Amino acid sequence: MAEKVELVEEVKTLSDKVVELGRDSLYMGLGVVSVVQENVQGLVKRGKDYRHTLIERGEKMAKDNKGRVNELVEMPQTMAKDTVKKASDTFEKYSEQVLTRVHVPTSDQIEAMTKKVHSVERKLDKVIKENAAAQ
C-alpha cells in the first residue's frame, strides 16, 4: 500500500509540474505579447516621427534648391524641344524634295491650282451666260 501512496504522490507531483509548466508557458506567452505590443507601439511612433522628419527635410531641400531643380528639369526639356524642331524641319525639307522629284504637288501648289480652276470656271460660266443671252 505504501507503494500506491508513493505512486499517487509521484503522479500528483508530476501533474503539478505539468500544470505549473503550462501556467508558466501561458504567462511567458502573455509576456511575449506584452513586449511585442510595446515594441510595435514604439516602432509606430518612431515611424511617424521619422516620416515627419523626412517630409520637413524634403520641403527644406526643395525650397533651398528650387533653382537647381528647375535648371535640371528645364535643360533636358529645352534640348528635347530643339531636337524635335530640328527633326521636324529636316523631315519637311527632305519630304518636300522627295515629293518634288516624283512630281507630286505640294499643298500650296494644289491650292494655287484650285484657285486657278475656280477662276477659269467662273469665266467659263460668264462666257456661257453671254452666249446664251446672245442667242
Side-chain angles (χ1 to χ4, degrees):
M1 177 97 156
E3 289 179 9
K4 280 188 178 182
V5 171
E6 284 180 24
L7 191 56
V8 170
E9 285 179 12
E10 285 180 21
V11 169
K12 281 186 180 180
T13 54
L14 184 59
S15 66
D16 288 342
K17 286 182 181 181
V18 169
V19 168
E20 185 180 337
L21 182 63
R23 187 177 306 126
D24 287 347
S25 297
L26 174 69
Y27 290 145
M28 187 169 36
L30 290 174
V32 167
V33 168
S34 174
V35 168
V36 167
Q37 185 177 11
E38 288 174 6
N39 286 342
V40 167
Q41 288 172 344
L43 285 173
V44 168
K45 184 180 182 316
R46 283 191 355 220
K48 286 180 181 177
D49 293 343
Y50 191 64
R51 178 181 174 270
H52 181 71
T53 302
L54 288 176
I55 290 172
E56 284 179 347
R57 282 184 173 185
E59 288 173 346
K60 183 179 182 242
M61 187 174 200
K63 183 180 172 187
D64 293 346
N65 297 311
K66 187 176 183 178
R68 291 170 65 193
V69 169
N70 286 340
E71 180 181 313
L72 290 173
V73 170
E74 288 175 3
M75 187 175 64
Q77 286 179 345
T78 304
M79 288 176 56
K81 286 177 185 176
D82 291 345
T83 303
V84 167
K85 177 149 178 45
K86 287 178 185 176
S88 178
D89 291 345
T90 303
F91 177 76
E92 284 183 33
K93 176 183 169 188
Y94 287 117
S95 63
E96 195 172 309
Q97 287 178 357
V98 168
L99 292 175
T100 302
R101 273 193 188 157
V102 293
H103 304 293
V104 174
T106 64
S107 62
D108 292 338
Q109 291 171 335
I110 291 175
E111 282 183 38
M113 285 188 279
T114 303
K115 288 179 183 177
K116 287 179 183 178
V117 167
H118 287 305
S119 173
V120 169
E121 188 178 16
R122 282 193 300 271
K123 289 177 184 176
L124 184 61
D125 286 341
K126 185 177 178 182
V127 170
I128 291 173
K129 284 181 185 178
E130 288 174 359
N131 283 342
Q135 290 178 352

